Amino acid sequence: MGGGTAGWMAANLFANKWADKNVHVTLVESPEIGIVGVGEGSTPTLKRFFEMLNISESQWMPQCNATYKVNIRFAGWSPKSGIEDYSHPFICQTDTFTQKSFFVNCRTRRLGLDTNVNPEEFLLNGVLAKQVKGPLAPEHFPMIMEYGYHFDSYLLGQFLAQHAETLDVEHIQAKVSSVKQHANGDIAALITENGDEIDADFFVDCSGFASVLMQKTLNVKFNSFKQNLFNDSAVVMPTPMQDVIPVETRATALSNGWAWKIPLTNRFGNGYVYSSDFINQDQAETELRRHIGTENDPESCRHLKMRVGQLEKHWANNCLGLGLSQGFIEPLEATALHLVQVCIEMFMGDFEKGQFSHRHQAEFNQKIAERFERVRDYIVAHYKVNTRDDSDYWRANRDNTHLSESLIQILNVWYKREDLGAEIDRQKLNTHFDTISWHCLLAGYGAFPPIANNQPGTGDHFIENGIEEFNRRCSLNFSSHQHNLDSLK
Ligand SMILES: Cc1cc2nc3c(=O)[nH]c(=O)nc-3n(C[C@H](O)[C@H](O)[C@H](O)COP(=O)(O)OP(=O)(O)OC[C@H]3O[C@@H](n4cnc5c(N)ncnc54)[C@H](O)[C@@H]3O)c2cc1C
C-alpha cells in the first residue's frame, strides 16, 4: 500500500526476486493523497538497487533528471576558523591506501600535534567533488568507485512504476478507506473508497507518515526520537541550476537547523530542516529564502512536518512497514532510501529463509531496530559536537544528554585519544557508519584539543606518505561531472 519511492522500490524488488515463485504483487496508491515528493539524495546503496533490477544508468538517470553524488559538504557547522566546511565523501577502493594515514593523523592531532586532518584531501571522492569531476572511471582505472545519486523523486516514482509494469505488478489507483482483519489480527483486505476489496496473504505498508496499516490498523507503537533529534519540520523551495552542476549535496547549518542544496540536471532542490520548538514556519521560510536568495520570488514554499523515530516492530502480523510509515531519521546524510532498501533486502532474505513464514520475524525486527538506532546516533553526533553559540537551538543540542550508550562510548574513546577503529569494531558498527565516516565527522568538525606549542615538525602522514600527489594522479583519470552526464544520453 503506497506509491511513493518506498512502495515502488519494494514492488519492483519483490516482483523481480520472486518472479518464479508464483508471487503476485499489487500496488495500491491514492493520487489524491500523493507522495511526500522530497527525498532527492541517495547513498551508494541505490546503485545496487538498479543493478539488481538490471537497469542501467543511461536508462533511468536522464529520465529522472539525476546527477551523480560523491560527497556531502557540511558548511557552517563549526564557527572555528579554518573549518568553515568539511566533507563526508563516499568511500571508494583507492581510500584503502590513504585511510590509515588519515586515522593516524587524527590520532596525532588529538594528542595536540599539528597534522592535516581534512577528510576531503585524504579521500578520492572528496578530491573529485572539489574538482567537480564525475565518479565514472575509465576501464583502465583499476579501483572500484562508489557513489550515489541526486534525482527528482516524482520522476523516479514514475520511472519505477513503468518498470514495475514490465514485471507484472498490478497497479491500482484508489484511496483505501478501511482495512479488514482476520480474527488473529492479521490483515485480510484493503477496502477502497469505491468499495473494492484488495485481499492478499501479505501486506507492505508504504503509506508514508500516515502509517495506515502498521500504526492505525495493527496498533504498532511508534518510538519517537524527538529527545535525540529536535528537527520536526521542513520548508522546501527549488532554485534554477547554475552553469556547473555540482557533484555533491551541500548541507549548510542555519540558525535553528540546516539547509540542503541538491543539484539535479534542471534545478536545485533546497530545503530547511528545523525544529518548530525554536522557530515558527514563517521565520523558517524567511531564513530559507534569505539563504537561497529568493526573498522576492513570488513562488510559494512547501511546508512539511516530519515524524522522527521508528516503529517498535517493523514487521508485525502479516505486514511489513517500509519507508516513512516505519520511521524516519531526518534527512541529514540522506539515509531514508538506504534504510528502505536494506529493509527490503533483509526482509526478502529472512522471509524466504523461513519458507515464507514468520520464523525469522523477531530476528528481523531486532536487526532493523538496531540499524535505525545506529544511524540515528551518527546523525545525533552532528548536533552534539557542535560549537555554535548563535542560538538556543545549537546550545540545547550541545547540552543534550539523551545519548545512547553506544554514542557515549564512541565520543569517550575519541576524546580520550583511544583507538576509535577498535571501538567501532568492538560495537560491530561497520555496517552502519564505519570508522572512516566517524573520523570525517569528528575531524571535519574540529573536535580536537588546542594545538600544542612545541611541534616536532614531522609525523604528518599526509605529507610523508605523499597523499596529495596520489589523489591528484588518481583524479587525472576522471572527467568532468557534465561529461559523465552527457555520456548517458
Ligand atoms: C524533508 C524531507 C527530506 C528528505 N530527504 C531525503 C533524502 O535526501 N534522501 C532520502 O533517501 N530520503 C529523504 N527523505 C525521505 C524520503 O522522502 C522518503 O523515504 C521516500 O520519499 C519514501 O517515502 P514513502 O514512499 O515512504 O512515503 P510517501 O512518498 O509519502 O508515499 C506514501 C504513499 O502512500 C499512499 N497512501 C497514503 N494513504 C493512502 C490511502 N489511504 N490509500 C491509498 N494510498 C495511500 C500515498 O498516495 C503515497 O503513494 C526525506 C523526507 C523528508 C520529509
Side-chain angles (χ1 to χ4, degrees), residues 68-71 73 87 89-90 92 94-95 119-138 141 144-147 244-248 470-481 484:
Y68 291 103
K69 171 181 175 184
V70 298
N71 185 37
R73 182 169 302 281
S87 287
F90 292 133
C92 54
T94 53
D95 302 331
E120 79 186 29
E121 295 192 47
F122 283 88
L123 305 171
L124 181 57
N125 270 331
V127 173
L128 296 184
K130 198 105 202 185
Q131 297 179 0
V132 203
K133 283 189 166 175
L136 300 186
F141 189 69
I144 297 168
M145 295 303 291
E146 292 293 344
Y147 54 86
V244 178
I245 303 176
V247 67
E248 62 184 8
F470 173 75
N471 274 333
R472 188 188 72 80
R473 285 172 181 237
C474 285
S475 74
L476 293 176
N477 289 279
F478 295 82
S479 48
S480 72
H481 185 205
N484 282 188

Side-chain angles (χ1 to χ4, degrees), residues 1-8 28-43 69 151 153 174-177 206-210 212 233-234 236 260 262 273 304-306 322-325 328 330-331 333-338 340:
M1 175 181 182
T5 319
W8 284 117
V28 56
E29 59 150 341
S30 159
E32 182 195 322
I33 295 174
I35 65 168
V36 70
V38 275
E40 302 186 325
S42 88
T43 67
K69 171 181 175 184
F151 48 84
S153 59
K175 188 169 171 185
V176 173
S177 53
C206 302
S207 64
F209 286 129
V212 175
S233 310
V236 181
W260 76 74
I262 289 184
V273 180
L304 296 161
K305 280 279 164 209
M306 308 185 303
L322 211 53
L324 298 173
S325 79
F328 182 50
E330 73 138 277
E333 300 279 352
T335 54
L337 292 177
H338 165 83
V340 167

